[in-house]
Amino acid sequence: MYTTELQKTKAVDGIEDPEKLAAFEARVAADEFIEPKDWMPEAYRRTLTRQISQHAHSEIVGMLPEGNWIGRAPSLRRKAILLAKVQDEAGHGLYLYSAAETLGTSREEMIEALHSGKAKYSTIFNYPTLTWADMGAIGWLVDGAAIMNQVPLQRTSYGPYARAMVRVCKEESFHQRQGYEIMMAMCAGTPEQKRMAQDALDRWWFPSLMMFGPPDDDSPNTAQSMRWRIKRDTNDALRQKFVDITVPQGEAIGLTFPDPDLKWNEERGAYDFGILDWEEFYAVVRGEGPVAKERMKARRDAWEEGAWVREAADAYAAKHAEKKAAA
């Protein structure tokens, strides 16, 4: 669901074969997909492993704030929709872990990196969900920002990642519409419901803008990722596009945005907006978000409590393999 530039990729150890590197660069420049068995520079492999695993972690951790509201949704219809959304996010995580495994890393290694704090996930999930309106704001804003990030990834240079994103983007579009429909309903409801919707927008607007990662000048991996066609757009370009699309949507249902510098720039044909609090962003990346410790505790507990399921699955697979070998 969510990819931001949270870690700097290490430089390549040693020197790549110049002929293989030139052939690789030519394939990427020609917009060919790179497949798992193809030769690739180690820096490319490491960049993709970092990005795809971070994306997978974000999908799985992203189930937590919404899963907490399934039992408290205001109607059976809302419960069913939210349950389906959380199930989608679990599936996205599985697609992405599988794509990352084609690069030579294991599921266990990725999970251990997440639980130890070595691997990161989207900072947006370290904020609390206080009211039902937050489910609308997350769908509309957070999933809307995710779509903006992920649609270009359908053309990313690594084949398994690009193909996984086709289905993910279709389902994320449903999530965004579901969230906006919640906000529409609340804005058309009682004055208290509209106040809840406005409060949710006020709290989630700036964290949503930070989802695109730091400004291009401070993004350590953007230049290389753009050259290798891992990314197709810069952080700032995607953030601007998101603002330009989302602000009219909010204004259409009577909401106002918590940015005094937000205004339409006729000359640019785009919205101007204020400077984001990047100190807050990096603090949340470091694990200082309001519910960061709670999120990681929930993931570690789920992993430990689900050990018996993994053991049973391994035992079943081993038994099945033995029967097949004996046949």
Side-chain angles (χ1 to χ4, degrees):
M1 193 193 292
Y2 317 94
T3 56
T4 53
E5 298 291 335
L6 300 182
Q7 294 171 303
K8 186 173 182 179
T9 302
K10 295 180 180 178
V12 177
D13 299 324
I15 300 174
E16 301 285 6
D17 183 309
E19 290 186 5
K20 290 182 178 179
L21 183 59
F24 170 84
E25 297 274 6
R27 289 187 63 193
V28 170
D31 278 336
E32 293 183 24
F33 281 139
I34 305 300
E35 300 297 343
K37 292 183 179 180
D38 295 341
W39 184 90
M40 64 188 74
E42 282 306 306
Y44 179 84
R45 186 185 302 276
R46 288 203 291 247
T47 297
L48 279 167
T49 300
R50 172 192 57 79
Q51 179 169 322
I52 299 173
S53 63
Q54 175 190 304
H55 194 167
H57 298 328
S58 299
E59 295 283 356
I60 298 301
V61 175
M63 297 166 64
L64 297 172
E66 293 172 312
N68 186 44
W69 276 92
I70 292 173
R72 296 183 286 167
S75 69
L76 181 59
R77 173 177 175 268
R78 296 293 187 189
K79 284 177 170 61
I81 293 172
L82 190 57
L83 180 60
K85 181 183 179 184
V86 173
Q87 288 175 321
D88 284 349
E89 289 164 352
H92 298 173
L94 292 176
Y95 303 154
L96 293 163
Y97 281 133
S98 296
E101 285 177 316
T102 66
L103 291 160
T105 189
S106 70
R107 188 80 53 94
E108 290 73 20
E109 289 174 314
M110 289 184 277
I111 297 297
E112 191 283 326
L114 172 65
H115 292 172
S116 68
K118 182 180 178 181
K120 303 298 182 183
Y121 55 88
S122 180
T123 57
I124 197 73
F125 301 119
N126 286 335
Y127 291 89
T129 50
L130 305 180
T131 71
W132 171 249
D134 287 23
M135 297 300 97
I138 288 175
W140 173 39
L141 301 175
V142 176
D143 294 328
I147 293 169
M148 204 65 66
N149 263 321
Q150 292 171 6
V151 166
L153 291 175
Q154 295 175 104
R155 297 181 293 115
T156 193
S157 59
Y158 189 57
Y161 194 17
R163 290 188 287 273
M165 294 314 301
V166 173
R167 178 167 180 173
V168 170
C169 287
K170 288 179 180 178
E171 293 176 349
E172 292 292 359
S173 295
F174 158 75
H175 300 168
Q176 191 271 346
R177 291 167 185 165
Q178 170 256 351
Y180 188 61
E181 195 268 339
I182 290 175
M183 298 298 275
M184 287 178 63
M186 297 193 76
C187 287
T190 66
E192 180 58 26
Q193 287 172 326
K194 186 170 183 179
R195 281 194 293 271
M196 288 174 64
Q198 182 64 60
D199 173 67
L201 171 58
D202 291 346
R203 288 183 287 106
W204 288 95
W205 177 243
F206 289 115
S208 296
L209 295 186
M210 294 178 193
M211 282 180 63
F212 297 95
D216 294 340
D217 292 342
D218 297 327
S219 181
N221 301 307
T222 291
Q224 185 66 80
S225 292
M226 293 282 288
R227 197 181 89 188
W228 279 339
R229 305 290 203 273
I230 295 173
K231 292 180 66 171
R232 293 286 182 162
D233 301 278
T234 68
N235 297 350
D236 288 338
L238 290 170
R239 189 170 10 252
Q240 181 69 65
K241 187 176 180 181
F242 174 73
V243 171
D244 292 344
I245 288 175
T246 307
V247 170
Q249 293 174 347
E251 292 177 341
I253 56 176
L255 294 173
T256 58
F257 290 79
D259 182 354
D261 297 321
L262 181 68
K263 61 181 178 180
W264 178 254
N265 186 318
E266 192 66 42
E267 184 177 343
R268 291 199 309 118
Y271 283 93
D272 294 331
F273 54 95
I275 298 173
L276 304 181
D277 185 354
W278 293 112
E279 290 186 9
E280 176 185 331
F281 172 79
Y282 286 112
V284 178
V285 170
R286 291 193 300 269
E288 300 170 15
V291 292
K293 292 180 179 178
E294 176 184 323
R295 297 285 186 250
M296 286 313 305
K297 182 179 184 304
R299 287 310 314 149
R300 293 190 193 101
D301 289 348
W303 181 256
E304 292 172 5
E305 292 168 5
W308 70 272
V309 178
R310 296 191 298 276
E311 291 167 3
D314 289 341
Y316 176 82
K319 185 176 181 180
H320 185 73
E322 288 175 5
K323 286 184 177 180
K324 187 175 180 180

